[in-house]
Amino acid sequence: MIPGRGRFLAAWVRTFAVQGSWNYRTLIGGGMAYALAPLLERIHAGDPVALRKSLERAATEFNSHPYLSPIAVGALARLEYDRQDEETLRRFRGALQAPLGAMGDQVLWAGWRPFCVLVSGLLFLMGVGPVLTAAMFLLVYNAGHVAVRVWGFRLGWARGLEVGAALKAVPTKRVSRAFVFVNQVLMGAVAALLIARISGLEQGGWIGPSAAAAGLVGYFVPRGVAGLAIAALFVACLL
Amino acid sequence: MMDVEITVGEWLLASMLGALVGLDAVSWPQAMWSRPIVAATIGGLIFGNPVAGFLVGLWLELVMSRDPPFGAARYPETGPAALTAGAALALAGSSSAPALMGSVLVGWTIGWVGMHSIAVTRRANARLVAKPAVFGGRTSEVARRHLACIRLDAARAGLIVGALLVPSVLVVRGIAAFPRLEFATNLGGWFSAVGLAALTGIGARALGTRRREWPALMAGAAAGALLAWGVR
């Protein structure tokens, strides 16, 4: 039986909690079962054995970026509705994980999120109030976040088994490269403005060049200087 | 002996908000009120100084950017840590650079404590949901076990803030009250600036991944320096 609008809405809302039972064995498998449950109940209405099997399948190991999990929830529900066989479902789940994880990390975690954070930081350092800045960050960031979840859920249900081809059409690399470039510029600007705010800076003109040198060293030898950089902050507390 | 002026109501509010920001990062709903700039501002706001909170949050954003949450990487938990750090600076009653640095380090340390506590709850979650047969084919059982995991995460985050708020204020106050040598005033600023710059470089590399992107970071730093100079 095809799920009604209310069931789709319930499943979509539940994807916000898809990582709620994250664990080292099934990753977000439990969350996938939780999100799929309202749809599976309807798809397998009157067939408790099929419902049991589909819930057990849904709860097995799975991983995805949380914002893109609605794609998986929509597509897996569609496959269950289309009565795809067990092997197809298993293969499909396996094939979907890597692109959903990689796309989310590149575009959302390394792109959209730092972009919104850094623009907010810049606004604060230019004099916008902290509460207003934080509220603006939440509003703008979540406009993108919710839009991605809505798009993903619709795409997953509409394309089902063909969702992989639709994902290939998304210009992930181009978008993530643009974000990387802009975020590097923003990060440099925010760091320079924060350093300029440190009291006593106006008395020491050598702080600027030293900071630039430290930034360069940090960029080119990242892991090697992390401990030293943290140690410098500890020492700064005592001087 | 230092006292911390905090009512039971404020402590409870901070702990409850700590639970809420702790939930956000992983369990529900990833709306990013767990980001340091938001969580620390909330912490500062509870105790009347949101500006101090945001400033600590912004420092923590750069300091923690070296550990992005990609794949199965281990990274410091931001929400409860930043909320506690923002509240600690607001409650410390000092906006000096050493107090700010102290709050940043308190936040950074609690972030790693949070990360280890998350690992413990994830092991507990496995007992609740990792064997699909435990659901018995009942959707209500799936929901019951899943929501139990979420409640566990909320309790964990609330406990971290509740337990570490007062000690964090004492640490920040202790750092602010630490006797300083006159000639070392600029050295404190120098260590802060160099530490932050190095961590920003590391964080930028973690986000950028390709060495040829560093001129963009430098261009941003130059623009920021010009802006700061113009504002002064």
Side-chain angles (χ1 to χ4, degrees):
Chain A
M1 196 181 293
I2 191 159
R5 194 177 280 262
R7 296 271 173 175
F8 279 115
L9 183 64
W12 180 77
V13 168
R14 284 182 177 210
T15 65
F16 283 82
V18 76
Q19 295 191 138
S21 54
W22 207 106
N23 65 84
Y24 295 114
R25 277 154 71 184
T26 59
L27 308 175
I28 65 166
M32 286 298 287
Y34 176 71
L36 276 161
L39 299 173
L40 296 179
E41 262 180 345
R42 195 74 182 153
I43 290 168
H44 299 296
D47 188 350
V49 177
L51 176 63
R52 184 194 188 104
K53 278 188 178 173
S54 67
L55 273 178
E56 288 185 1
R57 266 196 304 270
T60 53
E61 184 190 327
F62 191 75
N63 206 15
S64 155
H65 187 279
Y67 295 2
L68 300 179
S69 66
I71 297 177
V73 170
L76 286 167
R78 183 58 187 256
L79 264 62
E80 292 275 356
Y81 178 70
D82 292 342
R83 300 290 189 266
Q84 294 286 348
D85 62 87
E86 185 106 16
E87 182 60 14
T88 307
L89 279 158
R90 195 185 60 77
R91 282 186 170 190
F92 182 74
R93 273 176 78 93
L96 207 52
Q97 294 185 65
L100 293 187
M103 262 179 82
D105 283 353
Q106 284 171 29
V107 177
L108 299 162
W109 277 177
W112 179 238
R113 187 168 71 178
F115 173 77
C116 291
V117 164
L118 292 166
V119 169
S120 304
L122 209 54
L123 288 175
F124 170 74
L125 292 169
M126 300 298 287
V128 179
V131 177
L132 179 64
T133 308
M136 277 164 51
F137 162 75
L138 288 175
L139 202 70
V140 173
Y141 179 82
N142 284 303
H145 163 201
V146 173
V148 167
R149 283 189 189 264
V150 172
W151 165 79
F153 193 67
R154 286 184 168 182
L155 182 79
W157 177 259
R159 302 295 290 268
L161 209 51
E162 303 301 317
V163 80
L167 289 176
K168 273 187 188 159
V170 178
T172 309
K173 272 197 176 165
R174 212 159 4 118
V175 175
S176 87
R177 273 190 197 151
F179 270 131
V180 163
F181 176 78
V182 174
N183 286 342
Q184 301 282 315
V185 175
L186 287 169
M187 212 162 176
V190 168
L193 281 164
L194 266 182
I195 288 167
R197 270 179 86 121
I198 298 168
S199 60
L201 185 69
E202 63 278 358
Q203 295 152 32
W206 38 277
I207 289 180
S210 307
L216 273 174
V217 172
Y219 195 90
F220 287 103
V221 206
R223 286 287 144 190
V225 295
L228 285 175
I230 293 290
L233 296 186
F234 271 106
V235 172
C237 289
L238 304 174
L239 291 171
Chain B
M1 189 68 189
M2 285 185 284
D3 293 323
V4 178
E5 305 78 22
I6 175 171
T7 65
V8 174
E10 287 170 334
W11 179 79
L12 274 175
L13 179 65
S15 302
M16 279 173 4
L17 289 170
L20 204 61
V21 297
L23 269 184
D24 177 62
V26 176
S27 293
W28 173 86
Q30 302 100 39
M32 293 305 128
W33 56 66
S34 55
R35 285 318 302 171
I37 55 166
V38 182
T41 305
I42 293 170
L45 194 62
I46 299 170
F47 298 103
N49 195 349
V51 175
F54 197 104
L55 198 55
V56 176
L58 198 49
W59 269 80
L60 283 172
E61 288 285 0
L62 292 182
V63 169
M64 289 176 165
S65 64
R66 80 189 184 103
D67 298 293
F70 299 157
R74 287 198 151 195
Y75 50 90
E77 186 190 27
T78 56
L83 187 138
T84 309
L89 185 61
L91 271 169
S94 168
S95 55
S96 65
L100 173 65
M101 285 308 107
S103 305
V104 171
L105 287 169
V106 159
W108 180 78
T109 308
I110 297 175
W112 288 103
V113 171
M115 185 201 77
H116 289 292
S117 71
I118 285 174
V120 173
T121 55
R122 285 177 172 179
R123 280 195 283 274
N125 289 349
R127 288 201 199 110
L128 281 164
V129 300
K131 286 182 184 156
V134 298
F135 301 129
R138 296 190 304 277
T139 54
S140 58
E141 188 61 13
V142 173
R144 192 182 73 76
R145 287 174 178 266
H146 187 72
L147 294 175
C149 296
I150 294 178
R151 278 194 289 273
L152 188 66
D153 192 29
R156 175 201 61 78
L159 272 173
I160 285 181
V161 174
L164 297 178
L165 178 59
V166 172
S168 300
V169 179
L170 292 173
V171 167
V172 175
R173 278 203 185 150
I175 287 170
F178 194 77
R180 265 148 247 288
L181 300 169
E182 195 62 39
F183 73 88
T185 314
N186 279 347
L187 272 182
W190 184 86
F191 273 101
S192 310
V194 166
L196 179 69
L199 286 165
T200 303
I202 296 165
R205 179 70 189 279
L207 289 179
T209 72
R210 290 188 311 170
R211 287 183 178 213
R212 68 168 188 239
E213 279 143 5
W214 78 265
L217 178 72
M218 288 296 112
L226 277 173
L227 268 174
W229 182 70
V231 169
R232 200 166 58 170

